[in-house]
Amino acid sequence: MGNREIISKLRVTFGAKLRSINAGILSRWILYFQSQPLAVSQKSAMVFSPHQDDETLGCGGTIALKRSLGVPVQVVFLTDGRYGRPEWIQPERITDIRQQEAVDALQILGVANSEIHFLNQIDNSLQNLPNDQRQDLVTRLAQHLQSFMPEEVYVPHKKDFHDDHEATYKLVQEAIALSGIQTELLQYPIWMFWQNPLSFSLKFEDVADARRLAISAVIDRKKRAIETYRSQHPGLPSGFLERFFLPYEIFFKD
């Protein structure tokens, strides 16, 4: 390995370490100093997930708690996740593998297959959909909302620093307006805290009105569900998953 390759690798390692430290500090500051406690409710919930694993990382404990109380929960996956592929999986197999991982993870959390919906949009396309495709997707999302009538809706944070995640927030907002239903919107962070502190762009208002939900009673189930996503672990930065093993989940009121 040449000097340039060594320097490049060191930069990547240092950058990941910096982001890991920043994410740990910020998430714990919000958890213990900037958030209000949130009790698990009996309200039915629909979780919108850009990719197969976001729902478990961001809401796995919440889903498990609600299902343990017999509360109806449905999960809607917007994309097919085709680009979340390690080298050892053939391109033509990844979407089927990710769907099966999602079904297995949600089974652990208590969600039946009949309550899981795959919309199969192309991964990494949500931000730039042509107008007709975008409107068609909003209509499909609205139909799911009208069919289930959830009292709570969970979406990625509007500033989650991932194009598909931020687009999911906007698409679901439009779908709620189109559906005409009354529901409570809660945002869950996945990549929001994973930023280089030297170029940090979050503002205080972006993390205001934070809520923390204690998930100690189901943390083992959440961990097992996360472990089900074996295809995704090799592509995640070192230290990224640590926050999702904490006994709390963070949400932001819209």
Side-chain angles (χ1 to χ4, degrees), residues 6-19 237:
I6 293 173
I7 291 171
S8 177
K9 194 169 185 178
L10 286 173
R11 283 177 178 169
V12 170
T13 302
F14 178 73
K17 187 65 175 176
L18 204 60
R19 284 171 169 80

Side-chain angles (χ1 to χ4, degrees), residues 65 81 130 162 167 177 199 250:
L65 285 172
H162 186 298
S199 58
I250 299 174

